Each structure stands twice: as structure tokens, then as C-alpha cells.
């Protein structure tokens, strides 16, 4: 039986995928009657957590570079304050039936969080929302070209590869941080790692994570619409995501404009002006709540997910597919083969503007093809994700299993 669940994440605000899931996990477990504490690197000012009755412990620090590059480089290697916060909370509040769930640490908490969690390692699970557990830049790809990386992390070939968008010095810093992380984390004897897609496994293992530690827990999916959107009647191309280079909003704008297709963009970020420049007629809706996204999705013909780097999951693709929207996504997205196999999507290199635009143009002209893809998406992709209820129940089961195993193993387990 679990007495308390401790969710740990850099951010308490559900801004990106990892933080959104961390908050969702905390609120969902609280709704199931568990006492929940959320340990955050930021200020902890989360209305969602407070409304759910979740206790918040906050470090009050900004993201890695927000406080200045020099300070960020030092604290990013080993955040002493984060280590002390987590260590002290455990010393005062831990019980044998408290479970711990670590989400993101690369922006504030740093590898120091693994050392602080060492005494409760046998009751810890770690979510792999990305590849930072195994790869210095978190992507297993070049952040310049987007090409997937076949190298072994921290090998000589890895260290020599010019994969960092900020240059060789920053690459060396990432490598140093990853070396520090390995010593604190000990991937070969890892606690359970919750991978959001089975395709993550080989990359995690290449980075030293024990294959026996990896569990697949697909993300919870809430479709944009409860019934199939009649995509074949619509014309809008829909993009939903942060307006930054990694998500490829600019690539979507360039391709949609070249295809002569109307574009609706949901999200905020530094590329907003560039998106407007590339597609002057695009509708930039900004950050929208679920009801507004539902309204915009009802007018969409298809969704594009043109990520520059491999997407371990790509939640927005399934939110669209479960609503009956065909999806055009990058072939490096781990969901791409799944969606293509059931006829719900097309895999197109988003950096190839001509090919990307051709795919948008072809679907814009063929109502029959779009209807077939829409029906395949709505009816054939349910096994690729979990409903929120099934996801939180599965997470609860995993955490309870860790507590039960720790009780059977005894206190020596944490020292192995």
C-alpha cells in the first residue's frame, strides 16, 4: 500500500510535455485518494496542483539559462540547492511506503537529484519523456541537421560529433554533465524507467540503461473531439505545439504556404513572427484551452507534426488521430511507422519543403483519401496510447509494485 507519492520535476507549470504529464500524474493520483507531494525546481506556483490538494515543495529557481549563462552552466552540472532540498525532504518525511517518481531534471534540478534520491532508490521510478537519461543532448540526433545519431553516448565518436547547435564548447559541457549524471544515476542498475514508446528501448540501452529496467507506459491521450471530425469536408492545416525550432512550426508554415493551404497555428513561442512571415495568411491562435482547440480542430483537414528531431511520442499526433484527423509527421517520430501502418498518416521529411508541400497539396485535393485516413485514424489507433483513466491506474500499479518490492527486499536494496 502506498502512503504517499512524491512527484519530482523541474517545472510545476504544465508548459511542455514532461511537465504536463508530471502535473497530470500528481493530480490524477490525488484524485484516487493518495497523499501527493510535488517537488519542483521552479517557484511551484501551480493552480492545478493547488486545486487538486497536492502539497508543493519548491526550490524557486529559473530554468537553466534564465539566470545567466555562467550561473546556469555551474548549477546545471550539479545544483547544490536542489540536492539539499530533496535530501532534506526525504530525511524528514520519508516512510517505507512512500513512492517517488522523477520526471525532468535537465533544466533546474540537475544530476544532483539522483544523488539526493539514492536512499529511496528502491522506491523510485523515472519517466523517460526524452532521451536525457541516455544521451548528452537528450535527442539521439544532431541538433543542427536533425539527423538521427547512431553513436554510443560519451564514446570517442560521440564526443567528436558536432551535434550541438551552440557549438563545440557547449557540446563538451553537455558531455561533462552526462558523465556526472552517469555517476549519480548508475544506469546499469537503473530503477524502473517508464518509456513512453517501445521504440525508445534500443536507444536507452545504447546509453547504458539496463533493458530489464525499461517499462513501456504510453502517454495518456485526450482527443481533440469525442466523435470523428469529418476531415474530408474541411480545408485547414492544423499545427499544435510550441513555436520553437524543435517543433518545426516554421517548416509547417513554409510548406503550407507553398501548397496554397490555409494554416491554423495553436501555440506560443519565439518563432511566432517567423511563422507569420512565412505564411502571412496563417491564423495564429496563440495558447488555447482544450475547448478552443476542439473548436479549431473541428475545421481541420489534417494535422502536421514536423518535428526537427526524433519525437519519442508526439502526443499531439494521437490527440488528432483519435479525433479522426489524418497526420503528416516526420519519419523520425517514433509514432510514424504506427500511424502509417494503419493508414492514418504520412511520414514526410519536413525539411524537404517541396515534398512536405506536395503531401499537403495532394491531401487537399483528394476528399476520398482524406476520409479513408480519417476513419483509419479514428478507429485504428486506440492501441497506441492510453486513456487518462487507464494511464493513471497503470502508474499507480507500477508505484505500488515498487513499494511492495522494497518491503520484500529490505533496506539494503537502496545500497546496491
Amino acid at each position: 500500500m502506498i502512503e504517499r507519492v512524491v512527484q519530482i520535476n523541474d517545472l510545476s507549470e504544465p508548459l511542455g510535455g514532461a511537465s504536463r504529464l508530471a502535473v497530470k500524474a500528481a493530480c490524477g493520483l490525488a484524485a484516487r485518494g493518495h497523499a501527493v507531494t510535488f517537488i519542483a525546481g521552479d517557484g511551484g506556483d501551480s493552480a492545478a496542483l493547488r486545486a487538486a490538494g497536492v502539497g508543493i515543495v519548491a526550490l524557486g529557481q529559473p530554468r537553466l539559462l534564465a539566470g545567466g549563462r555562467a550561473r546556469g552552466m555551474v548549477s546545471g552540472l550539479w545544483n547544490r540547492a536542489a540536492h539539499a532540498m530533496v535530501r532534506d525532504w526525504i530525511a524528514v518525511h520519508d516512510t517505507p511506503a512512500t513512492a517517488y517518481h522523477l520526471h525532468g531534471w535537465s533544466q533546474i534540478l540537475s544530476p544532483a537529484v539522483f544523488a539526493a534520491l539514492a536512499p529511496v532508490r528502491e522506491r523510485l521510478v523515472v519517466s523517460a519523456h526524452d532521451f536525457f537519461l541516455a544521451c548528452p543532448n537528450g535527442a539521439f540526433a544532431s541538433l543542427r541537421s536533425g539527423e538521427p545519431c547512431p553513436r554510443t553516448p560519451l564514446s570517442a565518436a560521440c564526443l567528436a560529433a558536432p551535434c550541438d547547435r551552440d557549438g563545440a564548447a557547449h557540446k563538451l559541457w553537455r558531455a561533462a554533465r552526462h558523465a556526472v549524471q552517469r555517476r549519480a544515476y548508475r544506469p546499469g542498475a537503473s530503477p524502473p524507467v517508464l518509456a513512453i514508446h517501445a521504440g525508445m528501448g534500443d536507444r536507452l540501452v545504447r546509453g547504458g540503461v539496463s533493458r530489464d529496467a525499461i517499462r513501456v507506459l504510453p502517454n495518456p491521450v485526450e482527443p481533440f473531439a469525442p466523435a470523428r471530425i469529418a476531415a474530408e469536408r474541411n480545408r485547414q492545416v492544423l499545427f499544435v505545439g510550441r513555436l520553437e525550432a524543435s517543433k518545426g512550426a516554421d517548416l509547417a508554415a513554409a510548406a503550407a504556404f507553398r501548397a496554397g493551404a490555409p494554416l491554423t497555428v495553436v501555440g506560443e513561442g519565439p518563432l511566432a513572427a517567423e511563422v507569420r512571415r512565412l505564411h502571412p495568411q496563417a491564423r495564429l491562435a496563440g495558447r488555447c484551452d482544450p475547448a478552443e482547440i476542439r473548436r479549431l480542430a473541428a475545421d481541420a483537414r489534417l494535422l502536421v507534426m514536423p518535428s526537427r528531431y526524433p519525437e519519442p511520442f508526439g502526443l499531439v499526433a494521437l490527440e488528432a488521430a483519435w479525433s479522426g484527423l489524418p497526420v503528416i509527421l516526420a519519419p523520425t517520430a517514433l509514432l510514424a511507422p504506427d500511424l502509417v501502418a494503419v493508414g492514418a498518416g504520412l511520414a514526410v521529411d519536413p525539411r524537404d519543403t517541396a515534398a512536405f508541400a506536395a503531401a499537403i497539396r495532394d491531401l487537399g485535393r483528394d476528399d476520398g483519401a482524406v476520409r479513408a485516413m480519417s476513419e483509419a485514424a479514428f478507429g485504428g489507433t486506440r492501441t497506441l496510447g492510453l486513456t487518462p483513466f487507464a494511464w493513471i491506474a497503470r502508474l499507480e500499479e507500477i508505484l505500488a509494485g515498487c513499494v511492495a518490492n522494497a518491503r520484500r527486499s529490505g533496506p539494503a536494496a537502496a545500497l546496491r
Side-chain angles (χ1 to χ4, degrees):
M1 178 178 176
I2 305 173
E3 286 181 1
R4 179 174 295 275
V5 178
V6 181
Q7 297 285 328
I8 306 165
N9 191 52
D10 282 327
L11 306 177
S12 61
E13 283 293 327
L15 300 178
S19 56
R20 197 162 103 179
L21 288 169
V23 171
K24 189 182 289 288
C27 295
L29 290 166
R32 292 175 76 88
H34 295 286
V36 180
T37 297
F38 197 101
I39 297 180
D42 65 9
D45 188 22
S46 170
L49 292 175
R50 289 197 303 272
V54 174
I56 302 173
V57 178
L59 186 62
Q61 291 189 358
R63 297 178 71 173
L64 194 60
L65 298 180
R69 179 170 290 272
R71 178 179 176 182
M73 300 287 267
V74 173
S75 67
L77 286 175
W78 192 269
N79 190 325
R80 293 177 181 272
H83 179 272
M85 174 182 68
V86 177
R87 178 201 63 201
D88 294 349
W89 191 95
I90 290 171
V92 174
H93 300 285
D94 183 52
T95 71
T98 297
Y100 295 81
H101 185 182
L102 175 62
H103 292 267
W105 63 92
S106 62
Q107 282 294 323
I108 300 175
L109 298 174
S110 84
V113 72
F114 289 103
L117 288 165
V120 296
R121 189 179 176 91
E122 77 279 14
R123 289 177 273 120
L124 170 67
V125 300
V126 183
S127 274
H129 299 289
D130 47 40
F131 292 112
F132 274 114
L133 274 177
C135 169
N137 71 18
F140 273 109
S142 169
L143 299 184
R144 292 183 172 184
S145 69
E147 288 296 317
C149 174
R151 302 172 186 87
T152 299
L154 296 190
S155 66
C158 165
L159 295 176
C163 63
D164 197 291
R165 69 169 71 90
D166 293 325
H170 198 254
K171 167 65 182 283
L172 288 176
W173 177 85
R174 284 187 188 270
R177 180 176 68 172
H178 198 72
V180 170
Q181 177 181 300
R182 274 192 179 178
R183 289 181 63 85
Y185 166 45
R186 295 184 287 133
S190 178
V193 173
L194 307 184
I196 55 181
H197 191 281
M200 298 182 74
D202 288 345
R203 290 176 174 89
L204 292 171
V205 170
R206 199 193 324 156
V209 178
S210 167
R211 192 174 291 277
D212 291 341
I214 300 170
R215 314 279 189 272
V216 179
L217 182 66
N219 280 342
V221 181
E222 297 182 73
F224 296 150
R228 184 183 80 86
I229 295 171
E232 67 276 7
R233 300 177 185 173
N234 299 331
R235 289 290 172 264
Q236 290 288 324
V237 173
L238 179 65
F239 173 93
V240 179
R242 298 190 303 279
L243 306 190
E244 58 184 37
S246 63
K247 298 301 181 183
D250 55 327
L251 302 178
F257 182 78
R258 182 163 180 167
L263 175 68
T264 297
V265 176
V266 175
E268 297 176 334
L271 286 186
E274 180 67 2
V275 169
R276 174 70 70 196
R277 185 187 71 80
L278 291 167
H279 196 315
Q281 292 78 42
R283 176 178 181 180
L284 274 65
R287 190 177 181 185
C288 298
D289 62 26
E292 180 64 11
I293 294 177
R294 184 180 305 116
R295 191 182 71 77
L296 295 172
D299 293 328
R301 189 173 183 87
L302 57 95
L303 177 123
V304 292
M305 193 180 79
S307 306
R308 278 183 163 86
Y309 317 123
E311 283 278 6
F313 194 75
L315 180 59
V316 68
L318 277 192
E319 291 172 334
W322 282 24
S323 308
L325 291 182
V327 179
I328 300 177
L329 70 172
T332 54
L334 296 188
L335 275 175
D338 302 321
L339 293 177
V340 172
V342 299
L346 299 176
V348 179
D349 182 356
R351 295 170 187 265
D352 186 341
T353 304
F356 192 6
I360 293 173
R361 189 183 304 113
D362 290 347
L363 289 182
R365 294 169 175 169
D366 193 335
D367 292 348
V370 169
R371 177 166 184 165
M373 291 179 71
S374 173
E375 291 174 346
F378 187 74
T381 61
R382 300 287 160 161
T383 60
L384 302 179
L386 295 172
T387 66
F389 179 85
W391 178 74
I392 203 70
R394 176 91 177 276
L395 179 58
E396 181 183 48
E397 179 185 357
I398 291 169
L399 293 169
C402 286
V403 169
N405 289 339
R407 285 186 181 278
R408 288 192 291 268
S409 300
L415 303 177
R416 292 174 190 161

